Amino acid sequence: MSSVSLTAKAIRSSLLAVAATSVASVSLFSASAVAAEEQVQKVERIAVTGSRIKRTDMETASPVSVIDASSIIASGATSIDDVLQKMTSSGGAMTNAAVNNGSGGNATMNLRGLGSNRTLVLVNGRRMIASGTGAASTVDLNTIPVSMIQRVEVLKDGASAVYGTDAIAGVVNVILKRDFDGLELNAQTGISGQGDADETSIDFTLGNTFDKGNVVINAQYTKRGEASQADRGFSECPIAEKGAAGAKTLYCGGSSYSQGGHIWGDQNHDMTKTNIDDKGNPVTGRGDDGFYGRYVQRLNKDGSVWMDDDGKDQTVFQTWKNITNVDSQYYDSGVDNTWGSRQIADLSGRGGEYHEFENEDKYNYAKDSFLSTPMERLNLSFAGTYELTDSTMFFTEAMYTKRWSEQQMAPQPIWSSSPWAYDSTWMNKELIGKVQEGEKVSYGRRMVESGSRDFSQTVDTIRIVLGFEGELDNGWTWDASYNKGKNDSVDTLANLHNIGSINDAVVAKTFDPFTQASWEGASIAPFIYTELNSGGSELDILAGTLSGGIVDLPAGELGFAAGYEHRKESAHYTPDSLTAQGLANDPRVEPTAGEFSVDEVYAELAIPLLADLPLAQQVDMSAAMRYFNYSTFGEDTTWKLGLTWRLYDDLMVRGGRSTAFRAPTVSELFGGKSPSFNQIVHPATDQSQAEVTVGGNQLLTPEEADITTIGLVYSPSYVEGLSFTVDYFDIGITNTITAVDANYVANQCLDAGGNAINTGTSLCQSSNIQIDSTGRIKFDNGLQNIGETNTSGFDINVAYVFDALNLSWKAGLDSSILSSYEEYDPDGNAVNYRGYITGGVGAYAKFKSNFNLTASADDWSATYEARYIDGMDSFACKADTTKCYAPSVDSIIYHDLSGSYDVTNTVRMSAGINNIFDEEPPYFTGNNDSNTDPYTYDVLGRYFFVRANVKF
């Protein structure tokens, strides 16, 4: 049997070339193509991602796509997330430079939209330390230097039996340069068409191979500038909607926590409530008079009490401003429709003089926010091997990353934790007649006088691997290694205010909150502080593997791999002392600390079943099983079966069935409660954010998944250079660890009047939902093992390599079709995300496709790329599209162009334009940030880059 099949050769010739295309379309080609090429060059067995068994025929049952270094370079990417996030198989929420609110400077990958925590990231086949700020639980892709990457293998299948936890959606395995001779220098710079978001990267790689081994050293420095939301027409202000359903219009909105202060009165103030029942409702025709008005029982025209559909007495509060002829009739005449209008004190201090609050008084927080966040990053890498004996090799890997990143948001919105009583004897007398004496009013304010909230992170990440590998006399290979990772972070947040001390000063009558001068200069200075938080995580892994051939069977060699791993993970987060006490106005943030350990053993078999038969040129089965024992929840097993059936040279069918799991992380188990402000659309409030309390849960148990893949690989011999692959996937996750979508919780548990509904459901009972006196919706949404997550679809790849017009041409088309994506809430209700774009968890387009075309000559090449994202509906408008101005977004296509020219044998110049036609991201109702979804769309617009490469 040939070590490299004719099918593998055909795929290699057609797909290997596609690697030279750029990142905007993220051209992918099969792992067999790369592996076959390496096998031809090195004549050695190679392990591809998804299997520990080294073999010569690399076509496995699992679909693996490969992105090589030339694809990354051609795109102008300075971080690997720029490449991975544009794959058609990626989706959902992925943090990147465009995510200003909550990213912490991280960059993540999210296969299938199932969450970055369900995509396992490896470096050279071994786990990478979780990194970022706080008790990090996902890998920050900034820690992997682009200039050191040889290729990236993306396994789009579950692989827990081979790699353990987290490999539910798939595996990203970054292969770094190990054998490199010479010196390579790169310098790159880029800038947007608006003259911002400039980025510069400089790197060098130095390598030497000697008799006993080799050494590779790499350093890369990257600096990225900022762009402001104020500098783009689509994001210069937060767009809001007004008007009746079906006739919505847009206006430049903002936050009710506005400049100059916002006062909300209390309609019940000074009511004696002698006519109020035990439920707080008036029971007679008219309630007692108060400062703003009185309660009036709404009657039908025949004098009977009007009841709603739930049998509730429709008593309304009517202000003095709107009371007309209430002595004779208490019904709505249908003319002025003023019943129940809320005309209590609603005052704005914008401009220095108190007046009725209007939409124009809302604060435009967008103008203070970054559209693209600045960052500086230093990556240092080292790899080396040394031959101790003829059959034993020592190897080591070391990576160090230091990241400085920033985000900027509008000045802090503060609000009184408890109402402040108005006292004209020492407070601003301008409020006399507008607020009742002694009335306890709610107060909110945008702290413009103190400046924007400035976030910064300093993150240090180190990873060291020490190990030995060798070959036994019988040809079996082995390796043993120790993998140590450590992440430390310090993050700060400047221009916060100690609302606890301010409240004490108000009570002591030394600080008048209703006087503008109180919030300025020396008066407010003692209450301003900078929040300082620290965190970190550690990873320790001891591992050993053994692999080889057991026996020659009639259809080929029976191969195996087996191994043991001991892993320990720990993480911590210590919030600022004022924040931990809840004195920073936002709800208190609790610390996080915890650890767990796990012991795992695994075994894998590659079983040749049939060979050289009609319609069965080669049939192989693969099988893997892993046993694990966690200190936090106990033991279990996971398994995987795969089959490859090569019918003849041109056609191979493959499939797999597996179980997978994801163990809860330290932050999920031990994370302290903290506030999160999530975008919502709800008729009970005009505020676009809800205050959501999130946190860990020590009772969490692992997620479990059942995964099925079926596919075919076709390379017709009658069309040289053409290859076609199609793979179907079906992933079903049970015991899902998640928090329910904020929009879904708010609309399920609160009606249009701000009253709690569905109180008998588990979802609404656990939410403790309420709406405060400022109109902000508040609820709990901690992590739980709830329901299921199911998704399915197809990945399709077409690649064609040919010669024409004295040029070499390479064309590729990658597409993903999403057939289903459903999550189930705690009560078993299915929530369908397929075809929807959300305000918090990204987008789930039904269809995505990337096309590329490259033309090459001896000393130059040029690449055109197009990236298509299907149109989607807004998840916030799912219940009633008439209540939304923009209930959907149209499809969008991004066009990129890049090229390179060999100036000399050692110097190559490259340049490119991304988003040639300057496509703007679409607006949709219920958007995330910048009036769009920065997880999914390009927010910078047209972008230029140029690169110089020198090799010696």
Side-chain angles (χ1 to χ4, degrees):
M1 183 179 70
S2 172
S3 62
V4 181
S5 69
L6 294 177
T7 304
K9 291 180 180 178
I11 296 173
R12 176 192 65 196
S13 63
S14 62
L15 295 182
L16 180 61
V18 180
T21 58
S22 74
V23 68
S25 65
V26 190
S27 299
L28 306 176
F29 55 103
S30 70
S32 58
V34 177
E37 182 70 13
E38 294 189 8
Q39 190 271 342
V40 169
Q41 295 174 354
K42 300 182 180 180
V43 194
E44 65 179 18
R45 294 172 180 266
I46 302 169
V48 71
T49 301
S51 175
R52 301 278 190 180
I53 299 175
K54 296 181 179 180
R55 61 188 102 190
T56 55
D57 188 346
M58 301 310 300
E59 294 175 9
T60 67
S62 298
V64 178
S65 298
V66 178
I67 309 167
D68 81 346
S70 61
S71 298
I72 301 170
I73 292 171
S75 71
T78 59
S79 178
I80 191 61
D81 64 289
D82 291 340
V83 181
L84 297 175
Q85 292 187 1
K86 294 175 182 176
M87 293 177 62
T88 61
S89 55
S90 66
M94 298 174 285
T95 54
N96 53 58
V99 180
N100 180 58
N101 185 0
S103 71
N106 289 348
T108 58
M109 173 56 175
N110 188 348
L111 280 171
R112 308 296 186 204
L114 288 170
S116 56
N117 53 3
R118 298 184 184 97
T119 300
L120 177 62
V121 177
L122 307 174
V123 174
N124 294 334
R126 300 178 181 86
R127 286 182 178 268
M128 181 66 187
I129 174 72
S131 48
T133 55
S137 58
T138 58
V139 173
D140 178 14
L141 297 176
N142 287 305
T143 59
I144 303 175
V146 166
S147 57
M148 192 65 173
I149 294 175
Q150 178 176 320
R151 68 179 184 276
V152 180
E153 297 179 354
V154 181
L155 171 70
K156 293 175 285 186
D157 189 7
S160 287
V162 178
Y163 298 114
T165 184
D166 303 340
I168 289 180
V171 178
V172 175
N173 187 12
V174 183
I175 310 298
L176 302 181
K177 296 174 182 176
R178 184 168 176 175
D179 299 319
F180 181 85
D181 275 304
L183 174 64
E184 181 174 358
L185 303 172
N186 293 287
Q188 178 176 313
T189 188
I191 195 167
S192 78
Q194 298 291 330
D196 53 16
D198 56 297
E199 187 168 19
T200 300
S201 180
I202 302 172
D203 67 78
F204 77 86
T205 305
L206 177 64
N208 182 46
T209 300
F210 47 93
D211 290 342
K212 291 286 188 177
N214 67 282
V215 173
V216 181
I217 300 172
N218 174 270
Q220 179 176 347
Y221 171 75
T222 304
K223 184 175 182 179
R224 182 177 69 213
E226 76 270 7
S228 172
Q229 291 184 22
D231 294 331
R232 299 293 190 279
F234 66 85
S235 62
E236 63 185 356
C237 70
I239 297 174
E241 302 177 6
K242 63 181 179 180
K248 293 286 187 179
T249 58
L250 301 180
Y251 68 96
C252 187
S255 171
S256 296
Y257 297 87
S258 55
Q259 184 173 356
H262 190 169
I263 295 174
W264 292 270
D266 181 1
Q267 70 177 29
N268 291 310
H269 184 78
D270 206 37
M271 299 286 281
T272 61
K273 297 185 179 181
T274 56
N275 298 317
I276 301 297
D277 64 18
D278 58 358
K279 294 182 179 179
N281 296 316
V283 294
T284 60
R286 180 182 301 159
D288 296 292
D289 294 345
F291 181 69
Y292 296 114
R294 56 193 175 193
Y295 281 105
V296 177
Q297 189 176 49
R298 192 170 182 183
L299 306 178
N300 295 312
K301 291 187 177 182
D302 61 5
S304 61
V305 176
W306 180 50
M307 314 290 281
D308 65 11
D309 294 338
D310 296 326
K312 183 178 179 181
D313 182 347
Q314 286 298 289
T315 299
V316 295
F317 180 82
Q318 196 170 49
T319 65
W320 293 120
K321 178 179 179 180
N322 292 315
I323 289 178
T324 57
N325 196 29
V326 295
D327 289 326
S328 58
Q329 288 288 359
Y330 307 137
Y331 62 84
D332 182 356
S333 66
V335 178
D336 57 13
N337 196 29
T338 57
W339 290 91
S341 57
R342 188 171 183 237
Q343 295 294 331
I344 61 173
D346 188 16
L347 306 174
S348 170
R350 180 171 174 262
E353 183 176 332
Y354 284 103
H355 55 275
E356 290 291 325
F357 189 90
E358 304 289 345
N359 281 331
E360 292 73 17
D361 291 308
K362 292 183 177 181
Y363 185 76
N364 177 7
Y365 52 81
K367 64 184 179 63
D368 302 305
S369 297
F370 285 147
L371 185 70
S372 181
T373 57
M375 180 187 69
E376 285 187 76
R377 185 180 71 230
L378 175 65
N379 297 97
L380 302 176
S381 304
F382 172 84
T385 63
Y386 187 79
E387 186 178 310
L388 300 175
T389 69
D390 290 342
S391 60
T392 304
M393 179 86 72
F394 168 76
F395 66 89
T396 183
E397 304 166 13
M399 301 169 60
Y400 170 73
T401 300
K402 191 173 188 71
R403 167 166 64 88
W404 303 266
S405 51
E406 298 177 11
Q407 300 84 47
Q408 179 176 291
M409 295 180 66
Q412 184 186 16
I414 68 165
W415 58 93
S416 51
S417 55
S418 58
W420 288 327
Y422 175 63
D423 183 351
S424 62
T425 62
W426 69 278
M427 288 179 168
N428 190 344
K429 291 180 172 50
E430 184 187 342
L431 292 178
I432 296 176
K434 297 176 181 177
V435 175
Q436 186 177 6
E437 191 74 26
E439 179 181 358
K440 293 184 177 180
V441 298
S442 296
Y443 185 85
R445 186 184 185 91
R446 184 68 58 167
M447 296 302 300
V448 176
E449 297 82 0
S450 302
S452 62
R453 283 169 292 170
D454 300 326
F455 300 77
S456 68
Q457 302 86 33
T458 302
V459 183
D460 293 276
T461 305
I462 188 169
R463 177 180 185 264
I464 299 175
V465 177
L466 302 173
F468 300 90
E469 59 186 17
E471 184 173 339
L472 303 178
D473 293 340
N474 62 358
W476 291 4
T477 60
W478 62 272
D479 69 76
S481 63
Y482 171 60
N483 182 351
K484 174 67 176 182
K486 186 171 172 51
N487 169 241
D488 290 299
S489 67
V490 173
D491 64 283
T492 64
L493 173 51
N495 293 330
L496 293 183
H497 300 78
N498 187 338
I499 193 66
S501 295
I502 292 175
N503 187 69
D504 292 341
V506 173
V507 173
K509 298 184 179 182
T510 59
F511 187 94
D512 177 9
F514 307 122
T515 297
Q516 300 297 334
S518 298
W519 303 98
E520 301 171 357
S523 177
I524 192 64
F527 303 104
I528 301 175
Y529 76 100
T530 295
E531 179 181 279
L532 178 65
N533 312 300
S534 63
S537 58
E538 288 194 52
L539 172 71
D540 293 273
I541 302 177
L542 285 170
T545 64
L546 181 67
S547 67
I550 299 175
V551 64
D552 287 327
L553 299 176
E557 184 181 61
L558 175 64
F560 87 99
Y564 164 79
E565 288 187 8
H566 172 78
R567 186 172 80 254
K568 180 181 178 181
E569 296 188 34
S570 61
H572 69 277
Y573 172 66
T574 305
D576 185 273
S577 60
L578 289 178
T579 305
Q581 297 175 68
L583 298 177
N585 209 169
D586 293 340
R588 65 187 299 264
V589 175
E590 299 176 348
T592 296
E595 65 179 31
F596 66 81
S597 62
V598 57
D599 291 287
E600 302 176 283
V601 293
Y602 61 89
E604 182 184 358
L605 293 174
I607 310 166
L609 301 177
L610 300 172
D612 302 324
L613 296 175
L615 296 181
Q617 188 180 85
Q618 185 69 45
V619 181
D620 295 325
M621 175 180 285
S622 60
M625 178 170 284
R626 176 177 289 254
Y627 164 83
F628 50 88
N629 190 339
Y630 276 77
S631 61
T632 45
F633 60 81
E635 59 185 2
D636 207 341
T637 58
T638 186
W639 55 267
K640 183 172 186 176
L641 292 175
L643 184 73
T644 59
W645 189 303
R646 183 173 299 111
L647 285 81
Y648 58 100
D649 283 347
D650 297 357
L651 180 63
M652 184 190 77
V653 179
R654 61 190 178 193
R657 176 73 175 168
S658 65
T659 61
F661 76 100
R662 188 179 76 84
T665 64
V666 171
S667 61
E668 289 173 332
L669 289 167
F670 308 108
K673 291 183 179 180
S674 63
S676 176
F677 293 91
N678 298 156
Q679 296 292 117
I680 63 164
V681 175
H682 197 284
T685 181
D686 61 357
Q687 296 197 34
S688 60
Q689 288 185 326
E691 180 187 310
V692 183
T693 300
V694 299
N697 181 355
Q698 295 189 37
L699 300 179
L700 292 174
T701 57
E703 299 177 339
E704 299 175 355
D706 290 305
I707 302 166
T708 300
T709 60
I710 303 172
L712 63 84
V713 180
Y714 182 56
S715 296
S717 55
Y718 51 84
V719 182
E720 184 178 356
L722 178 65
S723 176
F724 173 83
T725 65
V726 58
D727 289 283
Y728 168 79
F729 66 90
D730 184 281
I731 304 173
I733 306 173
T734 57
N735 221 30
T736 306
I737 300 172
T738 188
V740 182
D741 178 81
N743 253 306
Y744 183 77
V745 175
N747 285 281
Q748 283 290 307
C749 303
L750 207 67
D751 67 12
N755 303 302
I757 57 175
N758 298 323
T759 54
T761 65
S762 299
L763 175 70
C764 297
Q765 285 179 346
S766 63
S767 71
N768 297 314
I769 197 165
Q770 58 182 296
I771 187 166
D772 67 17
S773 58
T774 70
R776 172 173 283 170
I777 295 175
K778 304 166 65 174
F779 57 89
D780 298 331
N781 197 17
L783 294 173
Q784 304 175 61
N785 287 110
I786 53 176
E788 305 174 17
T789 302
N790 300 316
T791 184
S792 63
F794 296 86
D795 292 323
I796 303 170
N797 173 268
V798 181
Y800 186 38
V801 179
F802 60 97
D803 293 326
L805 304 175
N806 296 320
L807 296 173
S808 297
W809 298 83
K810 307 161 189 176
L813 180 66
D814 289 293
S815 303
S816 291
I817 301 171
L818 184 63
S819 301
S820 66
Y821 194 104
E822 288 185 335
E823 290 187 357
Y824 288 78
D825 71 13
D827 299 293
N829 301 308
V831 183
N832 179 23
Y833 286 100
R834 175 179 178 265
Y836 285 97
I837 186 167
T838 75
V841 293
Y844 297 86
K846 296 178 182 178
F847 181 72
K848 297 168 71 176
S849 188
N850 294 339
F851 170 76
N852 64 85
L853 180 65
T854 298
S856 302
D858 291 339
D859 56 1
W860 64 269
S861 68
T863 299
Y864 163 75
E865 301 163 338
R867 183 163 57 98
Y868 173 86
I869 303 173
D870 201 13
M872 290 171 280
D873 296 324
S874 171
F875 189 80
C877 306
K878 189 174 183 179
D880 186 355
T881 59
T882 65
K883 294 182 178 179
C884 300
Y885 178 89
S888 62
V889 295
D890 292 331
S891 60
I892 193 169
I893 304 177
Y894 295 107
H895 303 268
D896 304 331
L897 187 65
S898 61
S900 64
Y901 177 70
D902 293 332
V903 181
T904 69
N905 289 334
T906 59
V907 178
R908 169 174 290 187
M909 297 297 298
S910 304
I913 307 174
N914 294 332
N915 195 355
I916 297 172
F917 299 111
D918 200 25
E919 293 283 350
E920 283 192 356
Y923 166 77
F924 63 96
T925 305
N927 57 78
N928 179 11
D929 194 14
S930 306
N931 298 314
T932 187
D933 179 14
Y935 296 131
T936 304
Y937 298 109
D938 172 20
V939 298
L940 284 180
R942 188 179 295 115
Y943 198 87
F944 305 87
F945 68 89
V946 62
R947 177 187 181 94
N949 170 262
V950 181
K951 290 183 179 180
F952 298 100

